[in-house]
Each structure stands twice: as C-alpha cells, then as structure tokens.
Amino acid sequence: MDGFAKYLARRFLQFILVIFLGVSLAFLITHLSPVDPVEQSVSLMTNFGATDPRSVELLRAALSELYGLQGSFFEQYLAFWGRVLHGDFGPSLSSFPTPVMSLIMGALPWTVGLLTLSVLISWCLGNLLGALAGYFRSNVLLKLSGAAVMALHPVPAYIVGLLLLLTFGFVWPVLPISGGAQMNLQPGFSLAFIGSVIQHGLLPALTLVLVGIGSWFISMRSLVSNIVTDDHVVYAELGGVSSATIFSQYVARNALLPQLTGLALSLGNVFGGAVITEFLFNYPGVGRLLIQGIYSGDYSLVLGVTTMSIVAVAVAVFIIDLVYPLIDPRVRLG
C-alpha cells in the first residue's frame, strides 16, 4: 500500500471514529436530560380532560416505542444506532406527528447554503488580507484594514448580528431582518425567489463573515511574516524575482497549507456561531430548529439535529482531508 492509500485509510478510520464517538456522546447527553419526552407527550395529550387509565398506558407504551425508549439503556443505545442508520429519529414532540428527519431535511439546505457562503468568503478574504498584510508590511491601507478586522475578532457573533440587525433593519431599513424568503413567494428557481433568498441571507452571512475573518487574518499574517525571512524567499528577492511572483509562488502558497487544515478544524465552531445567528435572524435553518427543540423539550428533535450536525461536520472535514494531498504532494508520498 503506497503512502497516499495509507493516508486515506487513516483518515477514513478517523472519520468513522469521530462519528461514532460524537453520536454516542449526543445520545448519552440527551438521555441524562431531566426531560422525559414520553411523560411530556402524555401530559400534553391528557390536559384537555379525563382519560381512561388503560388508554393512557397504551399511549405511554406507544410513545416509548416511537421515541426508542423501551428496554435497558444498552438496548435503547443499540436501537438508536439502528434508527440512525435508517435515518429515523422518530416523531417530533413540538410538531407531532411530523418525523424529525422531515423537519431536518427542510431546514438543512438553508444552513448548508449559509455556512458554505460565509465560510468560503471569510476564509478567502481573511487569508488574502493576512497574506498581503504579512508581505507588504509598510502598506498603510493594509494596516488599517488589519486593525478593523482584529477589532471585530473578539466580538461575539450575537453582538455583531444585533448591531447589523439594528443598523440595516431599523436605522437604515434596507434589508430584511427575519426569515429566509418572502412568505408570499413560491419556493423554486425563479428569479424572484432566488433574489429574496439572497436578500434575507445577507445579514446572517455578513455576521458570520465578520466574526470569522479575524482568525484567518491573524494566523495567515503570522505565517507569512515567518516565511518572508526564509532563505528561499531572500534568495529570490536578491535574484531579482518580481514581488508578485514571490508573493504568490513562494510565500502565499506555502502559508496556505496550514490554513486548509485550520479550515477543517474550525467547521465545528462555525456551526456553533450559525446556531446563534440563525436564531437571532429567525433564519429557517438547522440552528434555529435546534434552539426550538431545546426550548420545547423536544428530545427527538434535539438528538436528531445534533446527530446530523456531527455527521455533516465530520463529512466536511473528511472532504478537506481528501483535497489536502492534491495541494501538498508530501502527503501523497507518506
């Protein structure tokens, strides 16, 4: 087996292990929750009047089967994995009897679109500005842009989002501040619906970009500042190689490799910021769905969203691991 095949085998095993441990931990945490979804459902259904005790017991048994809470803890764990492999998380308590998977699949495209756009923009802009600022250290404009980016870096996502919401929703009301699209538009590939989706997604995406760009800028500038003192860069400058060639071929390209690894490691944190941002702007994504499930005590919905999020982040990291050898040939050689 060559070096590249060994690399893929290791990454695939890590991918499987991350999913197994993450989903198992999500199952354990939700089962330690004081909320009993069966009793909560029974109380909601029996609040409207007297109910035959035998009917209540039948209802309790049926709900236990629906929520996968029959048998011992280990039996529930095995049953849970069986349902996960079939994509079945049972019905949602807050939207009973709608299946949890239907709710997730309805919200997932919104979150995927928002995260993909914001992550790519913040990663590209942060690395570009950081590389330029690290190489052209005397440029005043780059110094000012770097100061602005670093000032935003420690600010929490909900503060940035709230400022954008107040600015563009009330002080200067030019952008929608809630929802994913206009309510009266039929979802589809029409120009009106696509334009409405872009308008409604601008503020949430801008929030994630402004919050995420700082870390990429700081790390890239630090990497470039170290690379410009390396011998091969100094020799290229003494040899009369143009600054543009040195920057693109000798400096930025080498500094970009660790940033690609950092992109994979940061995906989990990005999803955490998206949860708060989606809730703040009432954006119809998985993050808002998760918070709604927590507030309503929807056991199945919280477990389903958490599991799908773990799998999605693990898949994204695995894809980046597959792309990495295409950029750095040393990985393919073992």
Side-chain angles (χ1 to χ4, degrees), residues 268-279:
N269 295 330
V270 171
F271 179 78
V275 171
I276 299 173
T277 303
E278 287 181 0
F279 181 75

Side-chain angles (χ1 to χ4, degrees), residues 9-87:
R10 288 196 304 268
R11 289 296 181 266
F12 183 74
L13 290 176
Q14 290 176 5
F15 168 70
I16 298 298
L17 182 62
V18 166
I19 291 181
F20 174 76
L21 294 178
V23 174
S24 298
L25 184 61
F27 174 83
L28 177 63
I29 291 175
T30 51
H31 273 68
L32 293 177
S33 170
V35 177
D36 188 336
V38 174
E39 295 302 324
Q40 191 166 349
S41 299
V42 170
S43 63
L44 288 174
M45 296 178 184
T46 57
N47 279 339
F48 299 100
T51 307
D52 183 10
R54 291 174 297 179
S55 300
V56 172
E57 288 303 319
L58 291 174
L59 176 62
R60 185 176 285 109
L63 289 174
S64 298
E65 183 179 357
L66 282 174
Y67 288 116
L69 298 176
Q70 291 180 325
S72 64
F73 180 84
F74 185 69
E75 290 173 341
Q76 293 179 29
Y77 177 70
L78 293 179
F80 167 72
W81 270 108
R83 299 175 73 167
V84 167
L85 295 177
H86 289 87

Side-chain angles (χ1 to χ4, degrees), residues 132-177:
L132 291 172
Y135 187 71
F136 302 100
R137 284 169 285 187
S138 60
N139 189 288
V140 178
L141 183 60
L142 290 173
K143 288 182 179 180
L144 293 176
S145 62
V149 168
M150 293 179 65
L152 284 171
H153 177 57
V155 182
Y158 64 89
I159 297 295
V160 175
L162 185 59
L163 289 175
L164 292 176
L165 188 150
L166 293 174
T167 302
F168 295 103
F170 296 96
V171 177
W172 187 31
V174 294
L175 291 174
I177 60 174

Side-chain angles (χ1 to χ4, degrees), residues 107-122 197-198 200-209 270-271 273-279 281 283-287:
L108 191 60
W110 297 97
T111 295
V112 170
L114 178 64
L115 285 182
T116 302
L117 180 64
S118 60
V119 167
L120 288 178
I121 292 177
S122 62
V197 169
I198 293 175
H200 284 74
L202 280 177
L203 290 182
L206 184 59
T207 300
L208 295 177
V209 168
V270 171
F271 179 78
V275 171
I276 299 173
T277 303
E278 287 181 0
F279 181 75
F281 290 99
Y283 196 75
V286 176

Side-chain angles (χ1 to χ4, degrees), residues 219-274:
S219 57
M220 189 63 168
R221 187 182 62 178
S222 176
L223 289 169
V224 169
S225 298
N226 292 328
I227 292 176
V228 294
T229 60
D230 289 348
D231 292 340
H232 68 284
V233 177
V234 175
Y235 291 153
E237 291 175 345
L238 294 175
V241 181
S242 65
S243 297
T245 301
I246 295 175
F247 173 75
S248 60
Q249 300 297 323
Y250 292 80
V251 178
R253 188 173 182 180
N254 290 331
L256 198 61
L257 296 176
Q259 295 296 82
L260 190 61
T261 304
L263 175 62
L265 297 175
S266 68
L267 289 175
N269 295 330
V270 171
F271 179 78

